[in-house]
Amino acid sequence: MCIVELANAPFLAEHPSLYLYMEGRYFKARVFAGIGYWRVESGKFAMRTKFQGREDFGAWLDAIRQESMIDTDIPVTPEDRVAAFCTCAYPLEKTFDQFAVYGVLREIDRP
């Protein structure tokens, strides 16, 4: 699966989560947003990792929701852990050259 496929609503409905395995631990990321962007804009959303506090993080989450190509009812708050999955956007290349999917990250037992 290519994460760009998550921009397609029927595909997202069938695959609403991404799973991650890191250092012996399992995580589930419930997709709440997806943004197509040009590489020159990457600092605006996709690669941001430092915030001035929960209010700044909350404003960033609101901005992601507003810009999202994906419409979900997955709740996300500044108290949540958020994972960004970024890739080249070849299927969307006439519109964007990068695509990022954002998910609320939770540790889980083995899927």
Side-chain angles (χ1 to χ4, degrees), residues 26 43 47:
Y26 295 91
M47 305 305 169

Side-chain angles (χ1 to χ4, degrees), residues 80-97:
D80 288 317
R81 290 177 68 188
V82 172
F85 302 87
C86 306
T87 189
C88 297
Y90 298 117
L92 304 171
E93 68 187 47
K94 292 186 172 126
T95 311
F96 304 104
D97 64 353

Side-chain angles (χ1 to χ4, degrees), residues 9-79:
F11 187 87
L12 178 62
E14 288 185 39
H15 309 280
S17 300
L18 299 170
Y19 294 88
L20 195 60
Y21 176 76
M22 294 186 305
E23 300 177 355
R25 298 164 61 195
Y26 295 91
F27 298 88
K28 179 179 183 178
R30 295 186 66 207
V31 175
F32 70 89
I35 297 175
Y37 60 93
W38 294 102
R39 253 177 257 141
V40 296
E41 301 175 326
S42 64
K44 184 175 178 184
F45 295 112
M47 305 305 169
R48 187 157 179 209
T49 59
K50 295 186 192 250
F51 301 91
Q52 298 299 315
R54 292 203 187 281
E55 187 174 310
D56 186 32
F57 184 51
W60 180 76
L61 291 172
D62 290 343
I64 286 174
R65 283 271 201 200
Q66 290 175 352
E67 295 288 327
S68 181
M69 299 168 63
I70 295 172
D71 186 25
T72 72
D73 60 356
I74 304 299
V76 60
T77 70
E79 287 72 37

